[in-house]
Amino acid sequence: MKGPAWRRRGLLAASLGNLFFLYLPIAVLIVYSFNAAKLAMTWQGFSLQWYAALARDHALIVACQNSVLIALVSTGVATLLGVSAAIGLERLPWRLRAWLDGALLLPLVIPEIMMGVALLLFFVLIKLPLGLLTVTIGHAAFNLPVVMVIVRARLRKLDPQLEEAARDLGATPWQAFRRVTLPLLMPAIVGAALLAFTVSLDDFVVTFFTAGPGATTLPLKVYSMIKTGISPEINALSAMLVVASMGLVALSLAVQRRRIFTH
Amino acid sequence: MTGSLASRAGVRQAGWLLAPALVWMGLFFVLPLLIVLLISFASRGAYGGVEWTFTLVNYRDLADPLYLWIYLRSCAFALATTGLCLCLGFPLAYYIARAPARWQGLWLMLVLVPFWTNFLVRTYAWMNVLRADGLLNRLLIATGFISEPVEILYTDLAVLIGLVYGYLPFMVLPLYAALERIDRSLIEAARDLYASGWTVFTRVIVPLAKPGIIAGCLLVFIPSLGAYITPDLLGGARSMMIGNFIQHEYLVVRDWPLGSAASFVLMAMVLVGMWGYQRTGGERPL
């Protein structure tokens, strides 16, 4: 990089300042989750007691189970439907495809709260009781376009001649898909599914509107804990969520990257 | 002839592949939105339900100064968030784009990692820092800037900090993508022609980075306009934004028609923004 040294140093300082801003609250959160003090901000020694308290919290364990169940089912639905739609979209005439491409972006840009209230009204009007089922339906709906966009990006980079070559060598369309296209798509599919799983585990707004009293998920539980007051227990729970979601996304990226290196 | 037959079979096949997703999105996305649109033209029943009579009264009610104020405040918050993200994000994105290639990936990773954390948790994390006995107040007192703790949490300032924090990566990534593509020889050519640093910045770098700037601004503006968690947790009783207003109308007041009208106005604002983006982005890629 050319330019005077002061400018370079200024830029570096600004960048480090940004990183400080990005990491400060998370670092504070994690550090204080190990604090022995009940009043979180004075340091009174290292302790795992808040983590132990979490393990004893029965409602929390139920919320965890709900979250995982919802994430698994909604990811399954979104992945199945999203992958199938991505493949179908690729075979449409371009005009129809371009139109559908635009329409399917809509769920990605409309405000989450809009989706939440719309689903709430819909479920109330069709008299479907709010609970695990309604939350799962909502999660699958906002994750489907996510899966589709990721798989489509991969599909577009594939060489169509590969499938044609398989057909020329006598493969049926299904065989060509099953033995050539699908293996090539697999990393994108797994990556998309992991991302959908993470998004579902993390979602608050849509869940908040569609859950009803019986279906508390982890973020809903965190929210109600925050609303009842700041406590070291929330710090411990949040720290665990930080580590969990970072792990999942890292896994998703690793899966998607591996394909780039092996092919 | 066979080609068109094959493509027709292809379209039919594509239809079957697309059908489940289209049915799902039609049922659980399009239909609910249509219901919201319909209800926004209905009136409120005596016991909080909906009476199906066509009326524009909900949209007229939204023009009430009290509600207009909430919309204006939300726009102001979203604009301020966008501006701050741009000011903070530009130097960072520029630095990353000009860093040696092997460092760029690491820097981008560092920007993204906090972003993967649950939004609720990230917002809560600031409560620890901003509260009256929190880290920031302790630091300010220790360094002698203030003698008494000041209330930062539950103010507009806290909401702004939370919004900027929440959406900064949305600004940095498109800015980086645009800045990284700039041909360095253009900057050197400008320098060789005796342009000052500032002139290079305003006449070369900014115009070339424009698509990234526009994309970043929209990606920050849109979610901050509809923000719900941030003002709810960090803001005070009077820090209401559109999102909180909608939630309040639906779940507290149970005035569904007014809440529906409010959310449609929000969605219209977002779509107008998107449309504007596609126009600038589509017609003038530079």
Side-chain angles (χ1 to χ4, degrees):
Chain A
M1 192 171 93
K2 276 178 91 178
W6 63 264
R7 190 186 295 150
R8 214 174 339 173
R9 253 179 268 138
L11 272 174
L12 178 61
S15 305
L16 292 175
N18 263 298
L19 284 192
F20 179 73
F21 175 64
L22 286 174
Y23 283 89
L24 171 79
I26 295 180
V28 170
L29 186 84
I30 293 177
V31 168
Y32 278 94
S33 71
F34 296 109
N35 187 4
K38 176 81 188 161
L39 283 165
M41 272 300 143
T42 42
W43 183 259
Q44 287 177 8
F46 181 86
S47 157
L48 289 171
Q49 57 172 312
W50 309 115
Y51 288 91
L54 290 181
R56 287 191 301 268
D57 189 339
H58 182 67
L60 189 65
I61 293 161
V62 172
C64 263
Q65 289 167 344
N66 284 343
S67 272
V68 172
L69 182 67
I70 291 167
L72 278 177
V73 177
S74 69
T75 301
V77 173
T79 308
L80 216 60
L81 269 55
V83 171
S84 152
I87 295 166
L89 216 52
E90 206 56 37
R91 294 167 191 218
L92 282 182
W94 77 266
R95 187 180 292 278
L96 199 57
R97 188 170 64 201
W99 187 84
L100 270 175
D101 256 347
L104 280 159
L105 278 181
L106 195 62
L108 299 176
V109 297
I110 76 155
E112 264 193 297
I113 189 146
M114 176 94 198
M115 187 135 176
V117 296
L119 282 168
L120 169 71
L121 282 189
F122 174 70
F123 291 136
V124 170
L125 284 182
I126 65 167
K127 299 204 163 58
L128 188 62
L130 299 181
L132 291 177
L133 179 65
T134 50
V135 178
T136 309
I137 290 175
H139 283 204
F142 66 63
N143 265 332
L144 202 161
V146 175
V147 172
M148 213 201 62
V149 165
I150 295 175
V151 175
R152 247 175 84 62
R154 178 74 214 152
L155 207 52
R156 228 173 295 170
K157 279 193 215 130
L158 288 188
D159 188 349
Q161 287 183 339
L162 288 174
E163 211 176 288
E164 279 162 31
R167 297 292 306 279
D168 287 347
L169 294 170
T172 63
W174 168 248
Q175 279 174 327
F177 171 74
R178 175 77 190 73
R179 304 290 290 273
V180 177
T181 310
L182 195 62
L184 289 171
L185 279 183
M186 216 47 199
I189 296 175
V190 175
L194 279 169
L195 184 65
F197 189 79
T198 317
V199 172
S200 167
L201 274 188
D202 275 355
D203 178 75
F204 172 74
V205 176
V206 172
T207 316
F208 181 64
F209 283 96
T210 51
T216 302
T217 65
L218 211 47
L220 290 187
K221 173 79 178 156
V222 174
Y223 181 75
S224 72
M225 282 166 85
I226 296 173
K227 280 291 180 180
T228 41
I230 298 169
S231 82
E233 231 175 284
I234 315 176
N235 287 345
L237 180 55
S238 302
M240 283 171 65
L241 288 178
V242 168
V243 173
S245 44
M246 282 178 187
L248 273 174
V249 179
L251 193 64
S252 155
L253 282 185
V255 170
Q256 286 184 64
R257 172 149 326 169
R258 236 189 54 214
R259 88 144 301 67
I260 298 168
F261 287 137
T262 48
H263 290 272
Chain B
M1 201 55 200
T2 47
S4 87
L5 269 177
S7 86
R8 202 173 303 158
V11 171
R12 196 176 312 134
Q13 202 183 19
W16 282 112
L17 286 165
L18 274 164
L22 290 180
V23 168
W24 191 278
M25 293 313 284
L27 261 180
F28 304 122
F29 180 73
V30 179
L31 190 59
L33 285 188
L34 287 177
I35 291 173
V36 176
L37 183 63
L38 268 180
I39 290 183
S40 75
F41 292 112
S43 51
R44 188 186 180 198
Y47 306 103
V50 176
E51 263 177 35
W52 298 99
T53 45
F54 180 83
T55 170
L56 287 171
V57 79
N58 303 304
Y59 289 95
R60 203 197 57 204
D61 283 352
L62 280 182
D64 182 285
L66 185 70
Y67 299 148
L68 272 186
W69 177 235
I70 294 174
Y71 275 84
L72 277 177
R73 274 178 55 88
S74 300
C75 286
F77 267 125
L79 276 178
T81 305
T82 311
L84 277 171
C85 281
L86 186 59
C87 293
L88 285 174
F90 202 98
L92 176 62
Y94 191 77
Y95 180 80
I96 300 176
R98 286 288 165 272
R102 67 202 144 94
W103 291 111
Q104 292 188 2
L106 179 69
W107 271 96
L108 286 175
M109 205 66 153
L110 284 172
V111 173
L112 272 178
V113 164
F115 189 58
W116 293 337
T117 310
N118 186 318
F119 195 90
L120 196 63
V121 168
R122 277 191 291 154
T123 310
Y124 165 73
W126 274 104
M127 296 174 82
N128 273 325
V129 177
L130 298 176
R131 53 196 274 215
D133 64 340
L135 193 73
L136 188 60
N137 264 313
R138 281 164 178 273
L139 260 176
L140 288 174
I141 292 174
T143 50
F145 274 104
I146 51 172
S147 52
E148 296 267 290
V150 287
E151 191 63 76
I152 310 169
L153 188 59
Y154 308 127
T155 65
D156 289 354
L157 179 64
V159 177
L160 196 58
I161 292 175
L163 288 173
V164 171
Y165 186 75
Y167 302 121
L168 185 60
F170 281 156
M171 181 65 87
V172 174
L173 292 184
L175 276 183
Y176 160 79
L179 288 168
E180 201 260 341
R181 275 198 301 264
I182 295 181
D183 187 349
R184 288 178 199 210
S185 57
L186 289 174
I187 297 172
E188 274 158 32
R191 291 236 174 82
D192 289 345
L193 296 168
Y194 300 107
S196 68
W198 177 248
T199 315
V200 172
F201 179 71
T202 54
R203 303 286 293 273
V204 180
I205 296 173
V206 169
L208 287 174
K210 209 171 135 197
I213 296 175
I214 296 174
C217 285
L218 257 153
L219 286 177
V220 173
F221 185 82
I222 288 175
S224 17
L225 191 64
Y228 170 74
I229 296 174
T230 318
D232 186 58
L233 290 184
L234 300 180
R238 271 171 295 176
S239 297
M240 206 183 236
M241 286 177 66
I242 304 174
N244 313 91
F245 171 58
I246 294 171
Q247 184 266 340
H248 188 79
E249 287 307 313
Y250 269 100
L251 301 184
V252 184
V253 186
R254 297 190 70 81
D255 188 343
W256 289 3
L258 186 62
S260 301
S263 46
F264 246 91
V265 172
L266 171 64
M267 190 168 105
M269 288 160 85
V270 167
L271 289 184
V272 165
M274 281 307 295
W275 178 74
Y277 167 62
Q278 293 213 317
R279 273 184 64 92
T280 52
E283 286 177 10
R284 278 176 301 156
L286 272 188

